[in-house]
Amino acid sequence: MAHLFRQILDFLALGYGAQGVAAASGVLTVILIFSVIIVGTIMSGIEKIQIVILSKLFSERTALFICNYITIAGTIIHECAHALFATLSGAKVTEISFLDTKGNSLGHISYVGRGPIFMRGIQDSLCACAPVFVGLICEFIIINQIFHGTYPIWGQIILWYLAISVIDHMSMSPIDIKHYFQGIWAVVPIVFAAVFCYGYFIVT
């Protein structure tokens, strides 16, 4: 991240003072904010492509069964990520389900925002993007274990199953994206302040 920050700083050519750091911090903040949406959208696209391919090979019902029920581990991680970030940010989780029987989605959570409007904005945004962050962390750990761990064949099979399951459910639904932008106004100042402090530290 330090290298990226310096590249942005050099590209803007506003110097290494507070003004240049602030401008570079603004650009990097925008990149970080939209990177979450890009990753979530890509993962959602991969899931849809997988359903289309499986639907042509078998049937839509079979495709949804495979992508939802067979990879239920990914659903559990996805919904737990929502619940974790909601709870950590101060919201109250009122319902969590890993086995919905209606619609194309297997799980869901419901939560109630608590605190001032600023905190509720943070809760909406963090809860919405939680599966992306938790999914990336889980995927990093799993892939690292696959290629650097020493597991018997059944252990490798479980790890690959988990890797595929996490990827299949590391997405942001349209509702998630809507909630993400509903609360992003509260998150942006925090991200900008953190990036500015980090940038000012590495260039001075």
Side-chain angles (χ1 to χ4, degrees):
M1 186 170 170
H3 180 65
L4 176 60
F5 190 90
R6 289 181 182 277
Q7 283 187 320
I8 295 172
L9 200 59
D10 292 337
F11 177 78
L12 295 175
L14 294 175
Y16 284 74
Q19 181 181 359
V21 172
S25 298
V27 172
L28 188 54
T29 296
V30 172
I31 292 173
L32 292 174
I33 293 299
F34 281 95
S35 291
V36 176
I37 297 294
I38 292 171
V39 173
T41 302
I42 290 173
M43 293 300 106
S44 181
I46 290 174
E47 183 181 9
K48 290 177 180 177
I49 291 171
Q50 187 180 45
I51 291 174
V52 169
I53 293 173
L54 291 173
S55 295
K56 290 182 178 180
L57 292 175
F58 306 104
S59 68
E60 183 179 359
R61 185 175 181 180
T62 302
L64 292 174
F65 179 82
I66 293 172
C67 293
N68 285 336
Y69 291 92
I70 298 299
T71 60
I72 193 171
T75 298
I76 293 172
I77 293 172
H78 180 106
E79 303 305 337
C80 284
H82 279 309
L84 175 64
F85 275 47
T87 301
L88 291 177
S89 59
K92 180 181 179 181
V93 177
T94 58
E95 183 181 12
I96 182 167
S97 172
F98 307 122
L99 200 61
D100 292 347
T101 56
K102 296 181 180 180
N104 294 338
S105 177
L106 188 60
H108 75 273
I109 78 155
S110 299
Y111 68 94
V112 177
R114 296 190 292 189
I117 188 172
F118 179 79
M119 287 304 302
R120 294 200 299 272
I122 292 175
Q123 290 159 14
D124 284 339
S125 193
L126 291 184
C127 181
C129 67
V132 173
F133 285 105
V134 174
L136 286 172
I137 293 171
C138 289
E139 201 65 29
F140 174 81
I141 294 171
I142 294 168
I143 294 299
N144 185 65
Q145 289 302 306
I146 288 174
F147 291 104
H148 298 100
T150 53
Y151 296 91
I153 185 65
W154 60 266
Q156 289 285 329
I157 291 172
I158 291 174
L159 287 171
W160 276 110
Y161 163 74
L162 289 174
I164 294 170
S165 297
V166 170
I167 288 176
D168 272 358
H169 298 278
M170 197 177 72
S171 58
M172 291 179 70
S173 68
I175 295 176
D176 288 336
I177 294 174
K178 178 182 177 181
H179 287 168
Y180 181 74
F181 281 113
Q182 279 181 343
I184 203 65
W185 63 270
V187 177
V188 167
I190 298 173
V191 175
F192 175 82
V195 173
F196 179 85
C197 292
Y198 172 79
Y200 198 79
F201 174 78
I202 65 173
V203 300
T204 56

